[in-house]
Amino acid sequence: MRKIKYKKGRKLQPYNLEYTGIHKKTDSEMQLFVYDDLNLAECEDFNVSDLKQNIDHQKTNWLNIHGLNDLDFLKSISSYFEIDNFMLADILNTTRRTKIEEQHDCLFFNIKSLLPAENSDEIRVEQISFLIKEGILISFQEKRSDFFTHIRERIRTHSGIVRTKKADYLLYILLDAIMENFYVTIENEEDKIEGLIDLTKESANPIILERIEKHRDNFNFLKRSIIPLRDSLYEIKSIKDDDVFNVIEAENFTFFARLHQKSLELLEQIESDMGSLESASNFFFSAQTHKMNEIMKTLTIVSAIFIPLTFIVGVYGMNFDNMPELRFENGYYTVVGFMGLIVLGMIYYFKRRRWF
């Protein structure tokens, strides 16, 4: 799992741009949707020089960029839209935490999209950045993925109200789609936790404890990813009363309030699941302790039974000439029978006391 290093991340200078993600071989490409309530235009495989003739400032424009490896391409995009180099550095530096940045003419937002890895306890991480400027929403993804496939279909089929809204509403549904990935990831973790809880009742294999600690790390990672998202969504509320900044329409702030509420629900669910993990860990140690106590109890009972037998054998093993019992014709059978009675008596006593 690729972790978000808040303190140990590389400190890149804003004018020394470098992509820090793992998708180094992904080619950069663009996809543009230009739409309103009546019309839709979709463009792919075009150059930055073609943006001017394809973008319509009277409509909603969604420019989706896949792949952050081509710095020259991204610099040309940044130059065309006059994106600040600090923002471009945040787009390229995938170790940064989720943040929102407001300027007088644009709103910048980046977020971590998390999904469970197949056939593994790892979590896949991808940074996605958004920038709204002059009615244009630009999204930057590390690679082409299906996070927004259903949103593209809604735009194409005029489903819902997305075609009647502007770029700020589009930002809301894109963020909502990413937050759904958090629910998917948490649900996947919960299913695995249930399996681990069942395993702790059947086995005391130390690998179970390792997996419990792994999922604890996953939940801590989820928590570290959601907390700055919660703070960023809360910060959007302060923009509502800003007379200068008008990228988000007043009627759409309620949608972002819903996202903030979702982030709180996610954090509450994570806290609950971490409590379940703690219970599974405690149960594992309790089972280990109980098993060890059972073993020690068995060994103690066996030792207690053999103590008097050892004493008798020790007495009759002494090499004295004048030991009266040594000359008895049936002395051996008598002693062995007596020792058997001692064993049976002690077992009966232990059973009566319910010691085993």
Side-chain angles (χ1 to χ4, degrees):
M1 179 176 61
R2 184 158 53 98
K3 294 186 177 181
I4 307 172
K5 299 180 180 180
Y6 299 107
K7 295 182 179 180
K8 298 181 180 180
R10 297 182 60 187
K11 298 181 179 180
L12 300 177
Q13 297 299 322
Y15 292 98
N16 184 22
L17 301 174
E18 180 183 345
Y19 173 53
T20 62
I22 62 175
H23 304 286
K24 300 290 187 180
K25 298 181 180 180
T26 304
D27 295 331
S28 297
E29 52 187 23
M30 292 188 294
Q31 182 184 41
L32 176 65
F33 286 88
V34 182
Y35 63 87
D36 59 13
D37 192 21
L38 302 176
N39 302 291
L40 168 66
E42 183 177 348
C43 306
E44 287 194 36
D45 300 326
F46 59 94
N47 299 318
V48 178
S49 57
D50 300 325
L51 284 172
K52 186 174 182 180
Q53 64 185 26
N54 290 325
I55 289 179
D56 187 346
H57 291 281
Q58 302 302 317
K59 301 177 181 179
T60 301
N61 301 268
W62 176 24
L63 178 63
N64 195 13
I65 297 173
H66 305 100
L68 306 180
N69 192 40
D70 191 342
L71 294 182
D72 292 333
F73 168 76
L74 292 174
K75 286 179 180 179
S76 62
I77 291 288
S78 175
S79 176
Y80 181 86
F81 289 103
E82 298 180 351
I83 300 174
D84 193 288
N85 259 22
F86 286 96
M87 291 184 182
L88 185 57
D90 286 337
I91 293 170
L92 294 171
N93 190 353
T94 59
T95 63
R96 295 289 178 85
R97 71 199 302 263
T98 295
K99 65 176 290 188
I100 182 172
E101 187 171 341
E102 171 195 358
Q103 292 187 358
H104 66 282
D105 62 342
C106 69
L107 176 69
F108 173 75
F109 200 113
N110 73 352
I111 186 174
K112 307 296 179 185
S113 178
L114 309 181
L115 278 174
E118 295 182 2
N119 303 319
S120 173
D121 289 336
E122 299 290 335
I123 294 179
R124 294 189 289 113
V125 186
E126 180 183 347
Q127 176 169 285
I128 302 177
S129 303
F130 301 99
L131 190 142
I132 298 184
K133 186 173 185 178
E134 299 174 353
I136 302 173
L137 173 62
I138 309 173
S139 57
F140 299 86
Q141 295 181 243
E142 293 188 64
K143 61 182 180 65
R144 183 178 286 274
S145 59
D146 57 356
F147 299 154
F148 308 136
T149 301
H150 65 290
I151 297 176
R152 296 187 183 96
E153 289 302 314
R154 286 172 61 182
I155 294 174
R156 293 180 182 123
T157 60
H158 205 325
S159 177
I161 63 173
V162 60
R163 290 268 292 272
T164 64
K165 294 286 188 177
K166 297 188 180 298
D168 55 342
Y169 181 81
L170 178 60
L171 174 63
Y172 155 69
I173 60 176
L174 293 175
L175 290 174
D176 186 58
I178 294 174
M179 292 187 70
E180 287 300 318
N181 293 341
F182 285 97
Y183 283 102
V184 172
T185 305
I186 291 176
E187 183 178 355
N188 181 74
E189 290 291 315
E190 288 174 343
D191 291 340
K192 292 181 178 179
I193 289 173
E194 290 179 4
L196 284 175
I197 291 175
D198 293 337
L199 282 176
T200 56
K201 298 176 182 178
E202 300 172 0
S203 173
N205 194 323
I207 295 178
I208 297 175
L209 186 60
E210 293 179 11
R211 291 190 60 195
I212 289 175
E213 292 303 315
K214 174 61 179 177
H215 288 292
R216 197 194 309 276
D217 290 341
N218 286 349
F219 275 118
N220 282 323
F221 178 67
L222 280 163
K223 188 175 181 180
R224 293 201 311 270
S225 300
I226 295 174
I227 287 177
L229 173 61
R230 176 203 63 187
D231 297 339
S232 297
L233 291 169
Y234 182 80
E235 190 174 342
I236 290 180
K237 295 181 180 180
S238 64
I239 302 176
K240 186 175 182 180
D241 300 325
D242 193 338
D243 295 332
V244 179
F245 188 78
N246 56 4
V247 170
I248 299 177
E249 296 182 346
E251 61 182 12
N252 291 332
F253 276 98
T254 182
F255 296 117
F256 291 93
R258 293 177 185 175
L259 293 182
H260 179 256
Q261 184 63 34
K262 274 190 174 183
S263 67
L264 296 178
E265 292 174 359
L266 287 168
L267 288 173
E268 290 176 358
Q269 187 61 41
I270 288 174
E271 291 294 338
S272 175
D273 292 333
M274 291 185 73
S276 298
L277 270 180
E278 187 68 26
S279 298
S281 179
N282 291 338
F283 185 87
F284 178 84
F285 284 114
S286 297
Q288 290 279 64
T289 302
H290 177 72
K291 183 178 179 180
M292 183 61 66
N293 287 340
E294 289 295 315
I295 294 173
M296 294 302 297
K297 182 172 67 174
T298 302
L299 294 176
T300 302
I301 290 173
V302 172
S303 300
I305 290 174
F306 275 90
I307 286 174
L309 305 184
T310 305
F311 172 76
I312 294 172
V313 171
V315 169
Y316 284 97
M318 292 185 294
N319 296 318
F320 292 109
D321 291 333
N322 298 318
M323 290 185 67
E325 293 85 357
L326 292 178
R327 305 299 178 186
F328 286 177
E329 181 179 354
N330 296 318
Y332 169 77
Y333 302 104
T334 303
V335 172
V336 170
F338 181 67
M339 292 169 66
L341 288 174
I342 291 175
V343 171
L344 293 175
M346 294 185 71
I347 292 175
Y348 173 77
Y349 177 78
F350 293 153
K351 280 282 190 180
R352 190 178 181 85
R353 299 297 298 269
R354 297 181 180 179
W355 287 357
F356 72 97

